[in-house]
Amino acid sequence: MSPRRAPKSTERRTIPWRNRAVVAAVAAAVLAGPGVAQATPQAAPPSQEEVAAATITWTLERASNPTQDQQTAYNLITAAMNAAVARYNNLSDLGKSITVRYDPSVPTADGNINGTIRFGNRSYMNERTALHEIAHTIGVGTSSGWSRLGGSGTWTGPQATALVKQYDGSGATISTGGGHFWPYGLNYDNEFSNTAADRHVHIVAAMVRDGL
């Protein structure tokens, strides 16, 4: 018979029980010792994206018993302002509280830095006009910053200028006059497109950062 071999060891390389007990005791002592924070971790400070941005809000002054003419105007104005305000709030952090009125004596529409917009003519009750007039309430053509930065006929603020160059090439500038700007000022209906409307909002926001 072959000599009896000792069975192969199945012992794993583990820390002996006593040593494990010592390690556990040491670990407990370290965790309990001074200088090791055991309190619930403090929440991280809110990220930049979590900080609430300003928003544009608006209200429409209505007659208590509107005529058919007034109700038709209210419906058109509401659709125009909802679209324009949604675009501003989606693409910028600008803030303004705006009061809107239907005033048939106004030949087109107008906006004032005091936060009022008046619509008169039906053909101007659209998103293009609403975007344009909101810009006036924010300061385009109506603020001291506008006079300082746009009074020469060309906008001199660096951020809006850099933006129009990004859109239209290194030689592009923003022209100003009569309280308006172009390109992307949305001064006429034939200037409107979704791209132009988005760029309008971005440029107005950049003008505000410039000091509008």
Side-chain angles (χ1 to χ4, degrees):
M1 293 180 62
S2 301
R4 191 172 184 179
R5 296 179 180 179
K8 292 183 179 180
S9 173
T10 59
E11 180 182 1
R12 295 178 180 175
R13 292 186 177 181
T14 58
I15 300 174
W17 182 88
R18 288 184 179 178
N19 290 349
R20 280 184 288 158
V22 171
V23 170
V26 170
V30 169
L31 288 175
V36 178
Q38 298 185 72
T40 303
Q42 295 182 357
S47 66
Q48 197 67 26
E49 291 74 20
E50 293 172 337
V51 177
T55 55
I56 293 173
T57 60
W58 74 283
T59 57
L60 175 62
E61 291 186 350
R62 297 172 178 265
S64 55
N65 294 297
T67 64
Q68 184 60 52
D69 171 74
Q70 289 172 323
Q71 190 57 58
T72 300
Y74 294 161
N75 291 343
L76 292 171
I77 291 168
T78 296
M81 286 297 297
N82 279 344
V85 168
R87 195 182 296 265
Y88 264 101
N89 287 341
N90 286 338
L91 299 177
S92 79
D93 60 356
L94 297 173
K96 192 77 178 183
S97 178
I98 299 171
T99 300
V100 181
R101 302 186 180 101
Y102 169 46
D103 185 345
S105 70
V106 176
T108 56
D110 57 36
N112 192 291
I113 198 169
N114 67 9
T116 60
I117 293 175
R118 301 184 302 168
F119 288 90
N121 192 307
R122 287 276 197 281
S123 63
Y124 290 87
M125 296 176 185
N126 54 36
E127 183 186 358
R128 192 279 305 172
T129 303
L131 288 165
H132 178 94
E133 301 306 338
I134 289 171
H136 285 315
T137 71
I138 291 170
V140 170
T142 57
S143 70
S144 59
W146 172 266
S147 299
R148 178 171 53 86
L149 295 166
S152 66
T154 301
W155 184 262
T156 59
Q159 297 207 34
T161 300
L163 196 56
V164 78
K165 290 182 186 300
Q166 176 184 322
Y167 293 151
D168 296 337
S170 59
T173 60
I174 299 173
S175 298
T176 58
H180 301 91
F181 71 89
W182 61 92
Y184 308 116
L186 303 182
N187 302 298
Y188 302 99
D189 282 344
N190 62 8
E191 296 177 25
F192 183 85
S193 68
N194 279 323
T195 297
D198 287 352
R199 291 179 177 183
H200 168 86
V201 173
H202 287 309
I203 286 177
V204 172
M207 285 178 166
V208 170
R209 294 193 298 273
D210 281 335
L212 179 64

